[in-house]
Amino acid sequence: MVHSTITPAIFYWGTPVVLITTRNLDGTSNIAPNSSVFWLGNRCMLGLAECSQTTANLLREKECVLNLPSDDMIPQVNALARTTGSEEVPSFKIMLGYHYDKDKFRTTGLTPMKSELVRADRIKECPVQMEAELAGCYEMMSSLPGEAKGFTLAIEVKVKRTYVEEKLRLPGHENRINPDAWRPMIMSFQHLYGLRNGDRETSTLADIEEELYRLPID
């Protein structure tokens, strides 16, 4: 096996797509696709540009909804891909072909749903929806020079309530997802994928009872 050295511009090795809904200053909704994300316990870390509308909304309102699209929602995600909720589009986004979109629900044909614990709307078509509150904000890449310094933030949110379609629930368990039923959308190096059909491979980690990972409620 031969390895060679490369210097990638991005490191999207394969992460789930999240549609983040936040509340604009005028009470309307913003939707932003994101793949810089990971979960640990009931916390989620989001990698966001400091200048994005989602970041501004999240830091001001201190809440959001994390909506997980299934892999058959690629048209809706593509409709969002080069849009921004910022009226003044940042220069780097203009260079990438972004444009301002005031009503992303209309653009995508997605349907807003009222949340129960936060003011941001959920997305009806997404089979998983998580209402969340801001838990922390951390500057990344602070060592970079000039305007690049502080360009990216790592934003921690705490999931307060999770909604899933009934078909995703694992029979015989109150709080577990059936991995054979869940088909997340995955981004890998700017391309969108779904999970392959067929039987899953055996994992020794799956022998551990899932509830043993549950952290104390805070």
Side-chain angles (χ1 to χ4, degrees):
M1 184 178 296
V2 179
H3 293 75
S4 58
T5 300
I6 66 171
T7 307
I10 58 175
F11 289 85
Y12 281 95
W13 298 105
T15 48
V17 174
V18 181
L19 301 183
I20 307 171
T21 46
T22 53
R23 189 172 182 267
N24 293 318
L25 193 59
D26 63 1
T28 60
S29 294
N30 186 55
I31 312 173
N34 182 278
S35 288
S36 297
V37 57
F38 75 87
W39 282 268
L40 191 61
N42 67 340
R43 303 300 174 102
C44 177
M45 294 298 297
L46 301 166
L48 291 167
E50 186 276 335
C51 62
S52 80
Q53 186 66 33
T54 294
T55 301
N57 289 347
L58 213 170
L59 295 182
R60 183 188 63 253
E61 302 285 323
K62 302 187 185 312
E63 59 187 26
C64 67
V65 180
L66 309 174
N67 305 273
L68 302 186
S70 54
D71 61 6
D72 59 356
M73 294 177 63
I74 288 177
Q76 292 91 336
V77 172
N78 277 335
L80 291 166
R82 293 192 182 186
T83 64
T84 175
S86 300
E87 291 189 53
E88 296 184 12
V89 184
S91 58
F92 82 94
K93 287 194 173 183
I94 293 176
M95 179 185 67
L96 296 174
Y98 280 67
H99 65 276
Y100 170 62
D101 191 328
K102 174 65 175 176
D103 190 348
K104 296 183 184 180
F105 272 106
R106 182 178 62 184
T107 296
T108 58
L110 295 171
T111 309
M113 293 179 68
K114 291 295 183 183
S115 295
E116 296 181 5
L117 301 180
V118 302
R119 291 184 294 178
D121 288 324
R122 293 181 281 152
I123 299 176
K124 181 179 181 180
E125 289 78 6
C126 288
V128 179
Q129 309 152 351
M130 290 167 280
E131 298 175 3
E133 65 181 12
L134 181 67
C137 182
Y138 316 95
E139 183 180 295
M140 296 181 66
M141 306 182 188
S142 59
S143 62
L144 292 178
E147 294 182 0
K149 181 177 181 179
F151 173 77
T152 306
L153 300 176
I155 297 180
E156 177 186 359
V157 298
K158 181 173 74 173
V159 176
K160 300 175 67 176
R161 180 163 293 175
T162 302
Y163 309 82
V164 299
E165 287 188 351
E166 284 295 320
K167 66 181 182 181
L168 299 184
R169 300 182 67 174
L170 185 65
H173 297 267
E174 183 178 357
N175 293 304
R176 292 187 61 177
I177 296 295
N178 182 354
D180 289 328
W182 172 222
R183 287 291 178 264
M185 186 184 300
I186 302 296
M187 172 171 279
S188 177
F189 291 96
Q190 300 188 92
H191 293 277
L192 298 173
Y193 295 86
L195 297 180
R196 66 177 175 83
N197 291 324
D199 295 334
R200 50 184 163 163
E201 301 296 333
T202 300
S203 168
T204 55
L205 288 176
D207 292 333
I208 302 173
E209 169 54 48
E210 190 171 300
E211 283 294 323
L212 295 177
Y213 290 106
R214 188 181 296 277
L215 296 175
I217 296 175
D218 61 348

